[in-house]
Amino acid sequence: MPTISELLAALPAEQDRPDLSSLPSASCESSFQALTDRIAHRRTPTGMFARTCSVTGLTAKLALAYGAYWIRSWYKTGDQQQQDLLETHLRSALQTLETAGYLRGAFAKLGQLAVCAPDDTLPAAWIETMSRLQFQAPPMHWSLIREQLRNEFDDPDAIFAEVDPTPIAAASLGQVHIARLVSGETVAVKIQYPGISRAIRSDLRALKMLFRPFQSHAQWQGLRDLFDELQTGLEAETNYQQEASNLQTAKDVLEHDEQIVVPNVFPNATTRRVLTMEFLQGEMLESFLTKNPTQETRNHYGRLISKASYELYRHHLLYTDSHPGNYIFMKDQRLGVVDFGNLRRLSEREWDFHLAVNHARKTNDQGAIRQLCQQSLLMSNEDADRHSTHLDVVVKMFDLLNEPILFEGEFDYGDPTYLQRGGELFSQASKSRWVKQIPANLFAHRMNFQIPAVLLKLKCRVNMPDLIRECGMIR
Amino acid sequence: MRITSAEKQATRERILKAAKTLFKGKGYGSTTTRDIAKEVGIATGTMFNYFPSKESIVVELVHAASDSGSLQSQQHGEANSLAENLFQVVANQLRQWKAFRTYFGPVIEVAFAPPDQLADYAKPLRMDVSEQLSNVLASHGVDKPSSLDMQVLWSLYVGVLTFWIADKSRKQESTLALLDQSTQMFANWISSK
């Protein structure tokens, strides 16, 4: 482990820090355009060396940027600290955006994760730049799409009668086109960028190498477990046959509800790199909101979004792809749920833990709740004493997440203070030096923050106790 | 006894067919010209009247597999940018040459060598490829590319082919990414002038 003095020596000097005035800010449209143009002209590097350099460079920059802030903050006043933090966030957002555009794949996925974070967890500049990344991923031209189809199917013409060359959506790992099958059905075809799966593996290997110096750290095992969880999840997302299987699993769970629609998969037109699904006609959230839906309609869709997630959870599945682009607001008040790249099944042991958590919540047993939070952080009693502040924050987060469930009546997800409080706790938790936790928490946290973030955008109210009674209690 | 040109052509095709089968079965490196002659049922010396070397056979196989006519019609019909057009032409070539990928190295050595080192038998393939690339440039208004332009394009082209030979990714999808990257890079080079 490097010493503090070594870290300080490695920090960029003040004069080496980028001139922020030369960097585009989220509010400066023309400069932002220049940045996105630069990214659009940069292509995905395929070599391990080039990719390692990029990832290493980015990670080192981010680590140094935050390291600089952290160490300097010991000596600064509150106002100055706030200013420095904002600058650090902005620089990091821009650097992440540049590299995300460059490496696509894994970082685009992480970029999307950031978009779903509560508004106050990350600064507005970050959210803004990442939102643009989510919807302005560099497109694949039609000839590249066609080559991918030829690569995947011996004779794509025998499967697809027609493919619209213009994509309808950019996915983090590819893009989506409308097509018509030879058998006549209109379908949505998700096509992956060539080599992206290999690129992600290469990125993860590079990141793993970066973590090596921390092997002797007391929390190394916990870090490695979290990393392995992230790796498994990302790798699963690159396999569209796995996603097809997840779609079927979700469909089996949700098909009893006529108002929640999971698209059918066409297995003969699906491979590891191409996923062909039934095309669901409808609107995305942004477009849906421009029509000023009534509060009743908003509540209806909010309830369906919550219900889909809760039903899957009852079947031991964590739906961790809940971002606005994955919901289709269909005619007849139906909701389409389209992306299941990352459906995490809880093991029996993990489920038993969730049952214990649910029981503690129902009985409002504060002692048990604290004990379970301690377990989820993999803390011994000694650790819990030493890191009691962090444990307190996690218990508060647990209470916060339960508020909508315990609130009798319609909980107002449109009230931004709910997620702001979550953001504050999240921010406090991230300052802790305790990083260990149960690996499944990564996905549970993702789900627990993503869904309220979507519901906030929808500005809906949902009666959660009523919904839970309707679906059935967890046993 | 005089051998008619039709008989010569038939023997030539039998040699190519036998070579292709042997390269696939035994591997290019393990197949000798003697093996090919034996498979066709001719003397090794006779075979040299048709092909001066094993490399010349594989170059001929690759050339025969190239369907330049279909390339031209496709490139004008669908793609709309220089980068995409170049991508399309090279991607088509790679698909047509797929069966020869594992022993494409000798083709690069003899057919894509500097002009002064080019064997006569390799010239038709080289000329066809050059013409295809030049036609794409011309169709995007680059009628008179400089020698530096062509050097850049040629370096990228040979680089992609070399990468493709050793590409261990599934269905050589990394080559597609590299080709996309290279053609975009070249289009940027041309447009920045």
Side-chain angles (χ1 to χ4, degrees), chain A residues 415-439:
Chain A
D415 176 3
T417 56
Y418 176 65
L419 275 178
Q420 276 166 6
R421 284 190 287 141
E424 280 158 22
L425 290 171
F426 196 81
S427 175
Q428 286 174 35
S430 62
K431 283 177 194 156
S432 162
R433 293 183 188 182
W434 188 266
V435 292
K436 277 203 290 188
Q437 57 180 314
I438 295 174

Side-chain angles (χ1 to χ4, degrees), chain B residues 68-105:
Chain B
S68 55
S70 75
L71 290 178
Q72 301 303 322
S73 62
Q74 280 185 19
Q75 64 172 268
H76 290 292
E78 295 169 14
N80 52 19
S81 72
L82 173 59
E84 184 175 353
N85 233 182
L86 283 170
F87 175 91
Q88 194 178 50
V89 167
V90 182
N92 269 305
Q93 288 174 346
L94 296 182
R95 198 164 353 93
Q96 288 166 349
W97 298 341
K98 198 173 174 180
F100 316 107
R101 188 179 72 89
T102 52
Y103 49 93
F104 204 80

Side-chain angles (χ1 to χ4, degrees), chain A residues 304-376:
Chain A
L304 290 184
I305 289 170
S306 307
K307 189 174 180 184
S309 170
Y310 184 72
E311 284 284 16
L312 289 166
Y313 178 63
R314 281 181 65 225
H315 288 80
H316 311 188
L317 297 160
L318 299 179
Y319 178 58
T320 56
D321 282 309
S322 178
H323 76 80
N326 290 342
Y327 294 109
I328 311 281
F329 295 79
M330 302 171 69
K331 280 181 185 170
D332 310 325
Q333 303 262 300
R334 289 181 304 155
L335 176 80
V337 191
V338 292
D339 195 329
F340 287 89
N342 216 328
L343 193 64
R344 168 71 154 78
R345 181 175 285 283
L346 294 168
S347 66
E348 265 186 49
R349 196 173 162 195
E350 288 166 339
W351 182 246
D352 285 344
F353 182 78
H354 278 248
L355 285 180
V357 168
N358 276 293
H359 182 73
R361 189 193 64 218
K362 269 187 273 185
T363 54
N364 196 22
D365 183 343
Q366 287 300 314
I369 287 170
R370 191 173 178 84
Q371 185 64 33
L372 288 162
C373 287
Q374 180 185 327
Q375 274 183 41
S376 84

Side-chain angles (χ1 to χ4, degrees), chain A residues 194-397:
Chain A
I196 205 74
S197 165
R198 208 173 153 86
I200 286 178
R201 280 201 302 276
S202 170
D203 286 353
L204 289 171
R205 268 203 305 275
L207 281 172
K208 219 168 192 173
M209 278 178 357
L210 289 170
F211 279 117
R212 276 200 184 149
F214 298 96
Q215 270 179 354
S216 57
H217 193 278
Q219 296 187 43
W220 168 247
Q221 182 63 40
L223 265 175
R224 207 178 61 179
D225 290 347
L226 289 177
F227 189 87
D228 288 346
E229 181 83 10
L230 180 69
Q231 183 167 13
T232 307
L234 278 170
E235 286 187 357
E237 282 189 66
T238 65
N239 182 355
Y240 285 170
Q241 274 169 332
Q242 177 62 51
E243 184 172 347
S245 164
N246 291 347
L247 272 159
Q248 191 53 54
T249 302
K251 199 171 177 58
D252 292 343
V253 170
L254 299 170
E255 69 181 350
H256 68 274
D257 191 323
E258 288 179 354
Q259 290 189 302
I260 300 175
V261 184
V262 177
N264 287 312
V265 173
F266 293 84
N268 294 339
T270 294
T271 69
R272 289 173 74 89
R273 305 283 180 258
V274 176
L275 174 62
T276 303
M277 300 166 281
E278 172 188 3
F279 175 63
L280 302 183
Q281 193 90 42
E283 288 180 299
M284 308 289 266
L285 178 62
E286 296 296 332
S287 157
F288 170 75
L289 291 177
T290 58
K291 292 180 180 160
N292 291 323
T294 62
Q295 189 60 51
E296 193 185 351
T297 307
R298 289 170 189 267
N299 295 352
H300 168 78
Y301 279 113
R303 185 179 174 85
L304 290 184
I305 289 170
S306 307
K307 189 174 180 184
S309 170
Y310 184 72
E311 284 284 16
L312 289 166
Y313 178 63
R314 281 181 65 225
H315 288 80
H316 311 188
L317 297 160
L318 299 179
Y319 178 58
T320 56
D321 282 309
S322 178
H323 76 80
N326 290 342
Y327 294 109
I328 311 281
F329 295 79
M330 302 171 69
K331 280 181 185 170
D332 310 325
Q333 303 262 300
R334 289 181 304 155
L335 176 80
V337 191
V338 292
D339 195 329
F340 287 89
N342 216 328
L343 193 64
R344 168 71 154 78
R345 181 175 285 283
L346 294 168
S347 66
E348 265 186 49
R349 196 173 162 195
E350 288 166 339
W351 182 246
D352 285 344
F353 182 78
H354 278 248
L355 285 180
V357 168
N358 276 293
H359 182 73
R361 189 193 64 218
K362 269 187 273 185
T363 54
N364 196 22
D365 183 343
Q366 287 300 314
I369 287 170
R370 191 173 178 84
Q371 185 64 33
L372 288 162
C373 287
Q374 180 185 327
Q375 274 183 41
S376 84
L377 293 170
L378 303 169
M379 280 179 170
S380 65
N381 288 339
E382 197 182 313
D383 293 329
D385 288 340
R386 201 180 306 143
H387 298 272
S388 61
T389 315
H390 183 57
L391 185 54
D392 289 344
V393 172
V394 173
V395 171
K396 281 181 192 165
M397 283 172 84

Side-chain angles (χ1 to χ4, degrees), chain B residues 45-64:
Chain B
T46 308
M47 204 185 75
F48 287 125
N49 292 331
Y50 293 88
F51 294 99
S53 61
K54 196 165 73 166
E55 287 77 17
S56 66
I57 296 176
V58 74
V59 165
E60 180 62 29
L61 282 170
V62 166
H63 193 203

Side-chain angles (χ1 to χ4, degrees), chain B residues 4-75:
Chain B
T4 65
S5 59
E7 285 171 326
K8 272 188 179 175
Q9 186 56 32
T11 304
R12 199 179 162 79
E13 279 169 15
R14 276 166 51 214
I15 292 171
L16 289 171
K17 192 177 172 191
K20 193 175 178 182
T21 310
L22 285 166
F23 292 161
K24 193 178 175 188
K26 284 180 71 172
Y28 178 81
S30 308
T31 302
T32 62
T33 46
R34 190 189 298 261
D35 294 334
I36 301 169
K38 193 177 165 192
E39 184 72 17
V40 179
I42 57 174
T44 309
T46 308
M47 204 185 75
F48 287 125
N49 292 331
Y50 293 88
F51 294 99
S53 61
K54 196 165 73 166
E55 287 77 17
S56 66
I57 296 176
V58 74
V59 165
E60 180 62 29
L61 282 170
V62 166
H63 193 203
S66 310
D67 181 5
S68 55
S70 75
L71 290 178
Q72 301 303 322
S73 62
Q74 280 185 19
Q75 64 172 268

